[in-house]
Amino acid sequence: MRTSVRTLPIRLPPLPGEALDSWLEAMARRMDTALGDVLLHFGFPVRHRAGNQFRGIPADWTIVLDEQQTNAVAHATGTSPEKVAALTLAHYDGRALHLSAGGRAVSRHVLWGRGGGSRFCPECLHATGGRWQLSWRLGFSFACTRHRRLLADCCPHCGRVPRQRPRSGRSVPRPELCGNPPTRPTRPFSAGCGTDLTRASTLLLPPGHPVLMAQDRVMEIIDGATAAFGPYRTSPQPASAVLADIRALGIRVLSDLPTAVLQEQIPADIAEAHLSTDAVSPHTGQAMERPGFMAPPRAANTAVAVTMALRSLLEAVREELTQISATSIDSWGRGISPVLQSVHLAALAPSLRPSEYVRYRIMIETPRRPTRTTRDIEQRARKIPTMFWPPWTIRLAPPEGTHARALAPVLAALLLIPDSRTSLDQAAGLIGDVIDGTEVSRLLQEVDDLPQWPDIATALDRLADYLGANSTPINYGRRRLLDYTGLLPHDRWLEICRHTEHHREPDGANASHAASSSNVSAACPPSLPPTTWAGPTVQSSGRRPCGSPRFRPLNSRTPSSRKPSTSWPHTTSTTSP
């Protein structure tokens, strides 16, 4: 390329949002000069029939210019290099599309990138004398919000997408005419197809149409660094992540959503355009083999996919598509944001098992798939007693139907489930193996039917977070390994009874020994399983059954002691080993 470029005798500023090729054609037409002469003046290398990619020549100059080319165009036209660079698709790189490693092509497998070509608004071309917008080349562009029209996909005569290849440089360009190679052999190649694209017919949309609002929202996402609307309000995401979410949901709409549901959710005009077959566009059939995995070939298809994706659609999808599960989102595409994963899990909440409800933390604002490692869960288990802390057991026990003592080991096991992949059997083993996963599951299903279940799950989740962020004064994992058989020998028990002038049966020594072991170890007494050791039902109202060694009557406490404590929930009767 030449090191210096003379300034042009006539300068024509680019329109806001105009594409580079459109601007270059407009300047050539203004100077009544062949397009090839203008490109040579800027020092652009001459294209050959093959091998251009090996010479660093992109398929379209509108994709990207190198620094030297950008500076040459800026100097010759009196425009800043930043404005020149903004006329290329590199302006959207990392937001609405991804360029290849060499930067010379648009990746068609990411963010609905279009390898070439442009949609267009016939009225915009007519109003501007054939000036083309850069955004029309994006896979997420489907409507003109100024003229309230769906964008046209193809030339109405030749049926091919405009600007798939560079326009001939041998003639003065007429950008409002189709520049695809002529279909009639008698027409000169430099003249192209020659169809007036300003006369193309497209669907006119009424004011306030959902498609127009969806297009405005998408362009707002693309033009901004982050998106903070709807579910992204509490966790703003970069534009590329939000567009990846829209693409993922759009794939589900185009490939799996039944026609009847689609027709109920969107206006009839766009539904009819989406479901119709376009005889002039043979390329649409091939793209429909895997709809949505690449940029939809028609503006109507894209409009439906994006409009539905931006609405509260996931619940309808869940009801209609039985294959959706907590892990099905893994196949929806790359780059999905954590916000969409949260929305996906929240929509599945009614169909999740109680353990999954806790595992995926459905009760919080942003549910998520488990992230804790096995080591994290083992460390959490060392902070949890086999028999859940009595004050918290009483607070979380339902008013009736479930023994608090029977619920205690279940709550302890459940405390290992939030944000973990630990099974119920593994959780039961980690907290002392006094129950198994089947027992945990049975009692969990009973509690799941209670109106208090969401509050119980929320409390367990917050306790799990607390245990992860704080140390505890007692290592319950170590205590579970200690031998308590000599804690209260039978002879010592009889001696205590004689000194206190109480006469107890031998069974009383066994029960007291068991209770003492439990108080120190925070575990179920070794001689009795929790379901039989529970004794009479302990109500959360605070009534204490006779002979219960672990619970004090709540009516002996101050009112404030009945509220959940914000400090560490350990019992005062236990001390660190």
Side-chain angles (χ1 to χ4, degrees):
M1 177 180 287
R2 293 173 293 178
T3 55
S4 62
V5 179
R6 294 177 56 188
T7 59
L8 296 175
I10 300 176
R11 298 182 178 182
L12 184 68
L15 296 179
E18 189 173 11
L20 177 66
D21 60 346
S22 173
W23 183 44
L24 297 178
E25 292 168 8
M27 285 191 290
R29 185 175 185 181
R30 178 69 178 83
M31 295 183 291
D32 196 25
T33 304
L35 177 61
D37 293 338
V38 173
L39 298 179
L40 287 174
H41 179 80
F42 291 142
F44 286 14
V46 178
R47 294 183 184 276
H48 298 271
R49 290 186 178 272
N52 290 317
Q53 66 272 23
F54 302 112
R55 301 181 180 89
I57 303 175
D60 190 335
W61 295 115
T62 307
I63 296 176
V64 66
L65 295 178
D66 62 30
E67 185 178 359
Q68 191 174 8
Q69 294 163 348
T70 301
N71 291 333
V73 174
H75 175 71
T77 59
T79 309
S80 68
E82 292 77 17
K83 287 186 177 181
V84 174
L87 304 177
T88 66
L89 289 174
H91 173 67
Y92 292 114
D93 186 28
R95 291 184 293 148
L97 53 82
H98 281 268
L99 297 183
S100 61
R104 297 294 176 178
V106 176
S107 173
R108 300 178 60 193
H109 302 281
V110 183
L111 292 180
W112 278 347
R114 291 166 59 95
S118 175
R119 295 186 176 119
F120 62 95
C121 171
E123 290 195 32
C124 284
L125 293 180
H126 177 76
T128 60
R131 311 288 282 271
W132 291 66
Q133 288 287 300
L134 180 65
S135 62
W136 291 345
R137 294 173 178 260
L138 301 177
F140 289 95
S141 188
F142 49 85
C144 174
T145 56
R146 174 179 296 179
H147 297 108
R148 294 187 287 104
R149 285 191 174 276
L150 210 61
L151 295 182
D153 300 299
C154 308
C155 168
H157 176 71
C158 69
R160 289 173 288 182
V161 177
R163 302 187 175 255
Q164 284 276 31
R165 61 181 67 190
R167 183 180 290 270
S168 172
R170 300 176 182 177
S171 60
V172 178
R174 294 190 61 187
E176 76 279 6
L177 303 183
C178 177
N180 286 319
T183 55
R184 290 171 293 179
T186 57
R187 188 174 178 84
F189 183 85
S190 60
C193 171
T195 302
D196 187 355
L197 298 180
T198 64
R199 298 180 179 274
S201 176
T202 58
L203 178 64
L204 179 65
L205 304 171
H209 196 283
V211 168
L212 299 177
M213 292 189 291
Q215 183 67 86
D216 278 334
R217 174 69 75 182
V218 166
M219 294 311 300
E220 177 185 330
I221 294 170
I222 293 174
D223 293 336
T226 59
F229 67 92
Y232 304 98
R233 187 172 292 109
T234 57
S235 179
Q237 298 293 315
S240 60
V242 178
L243 293 180
D245 291 350
I246 294 174
R247 174 185 177 273
L249 292 174
I251 291 174
R252 308 262 59 82
V253 172
L254 296 177
S255 61
D256 296 327
L257 200 62
T259 300
V261 176
L262 193 65
Q263 291 174 326
E264 293 176 358
Q265 297 287 332
I266 59 176
D269 52 358
I270 192 64
E272 182 180 355
H274 165 65
L275 298 172
S276 65
T277 55
D278 191 352
V280 232
S281 304
H283 64 282
T284 58
Q286 182 180 1
M288 286 303 172
E289 293 178 2
R290 295 185 69 196
F293 285 89
M294 292 185 181
R298 301 194 305 166
N301 306 138
T302 312
V304 168
V306 174
T307 302
M308 290 289 289
L310 287 173
R311 296 180 56 185
S312 302
L313 115 98
L314 201 56
E315 184 66 22
V317 173
R318 183 190 64 80
E319 292 175 355
E320 297 296 333
L321 305 178
T322 56
Q323 72 270 26
I324 284 190
S325 65
T327 57
S328 63
I329 196 172
D330 294 340
S331 63
W332 289 13
R334 295 177 294 176
I336 293 175
S337 76
V339 173
L340 178 60
Q341 296 177 4
S342 296
V343 172
H344 173 248
L345 289 173
L348 295 177
S351 62
L352 294 177
R353 295 190 297 270
S355 59
E356 292 175 330
Y357 188 90
V358 177
R359 187 182 310 280
Y360 299 130
R361 311 183 72 190
I362 301 299
M363 68 295 299
I364 66 175
E365 192 170 8
T366 55
R368 65 171 183 260
R369 301 265 288 278
T371 59
R372 299 294 182 180
T373 64
T374 302
R375 183 177 180 181
D376 294 333
I377 302 306
E378 289 174 350
Q379 291 177 348
R380 189 192 299 176
R382 297 187 189 105
K383 304 175 182 180
I384 304 172
T386 301
M387 300 299 290
F388 209 61
W389 299 280
W392 278 103
T393 303
I394 292 176
R395 291 182 178 98
L396 300 182
E400 57 185 13
T402 303
H403 292 290
R405 292 278 177 101
L407 189 62
V410 174
L411 293 175
L414 284 179
L415 201 50
L416 297 177
I417 300 302
D419 201 22
S420 80
R421 298 178 179 86
T422 307
S423 68
L424 295 182
D425 274 324
Q426 291 171 333
L430 287 172
I431 56 96
D433 214 15
V434 298
I435 54 174
D436 56 21
T438 302
E439 183 67 14
V440 175
S441 178
R442 184 186 67 79
L443 286 175
L444 190 55
Q445 291 176 15
E446 294 181 6
V447 176
D448 179 48
D449 294 331
L450 301 174
Q452 297 89 351
W453 166 240
D455 293 333
I456 295 174
T458 300
L460 291 172
D461 185 77
R462 293 178 180 176
L463 280 173
D465 277 346
Y466 184 91
L467 291 174
N470 298 272
S471 60
T472 58
I474 299 174
N475 185 340
Y476 290 105
R478 179 176 179 271
R479 285 197 171 188
R480 280 189 278 269
L481 300 177
L482 297 179
D483 183 8
Y484 296 95
T485 56
L487 180 64
L488 185 61
H490 181 70
D491 293 341
R492 178 58 178 162
W493 167 250
L494 295 178
E495 181 181 351
I496 291 174
C497 289
R498 285 194 299 271
H499 282 293
T500 56
E501 298 181 354
H502 287 280
H503 301 284
R504 301 290 180 94
E505 297 296 329
D507 289 343
N510 294 333
S512 298
H513 177 270
S516 300
S517 299
S518 177
N519 275 332
V520 175
S521 65
C524 178
S527 59
L528 297 173
T531 51
T532 58
W533 182 59
T537 301
V538 179
Q539 307 291 345
S540 61
S541 61
R543 295 182 180 178
R544 174 176 175 266
C546 180
S548 175
R550 293 290 304 277
F551 290 92
R552 293 180 299 165
L554 286 180
N555 55 17
S556 66
R557 304 177 184 177
T558 59
S560 60
S561 66
R562 302 184 65 175
K563 299 179 181 179
S565 173
T566 57
S567 60
W568 172 245
H570 65 279
T571 59
T572 56
S573 62
T574 58
T575 57
S576 180

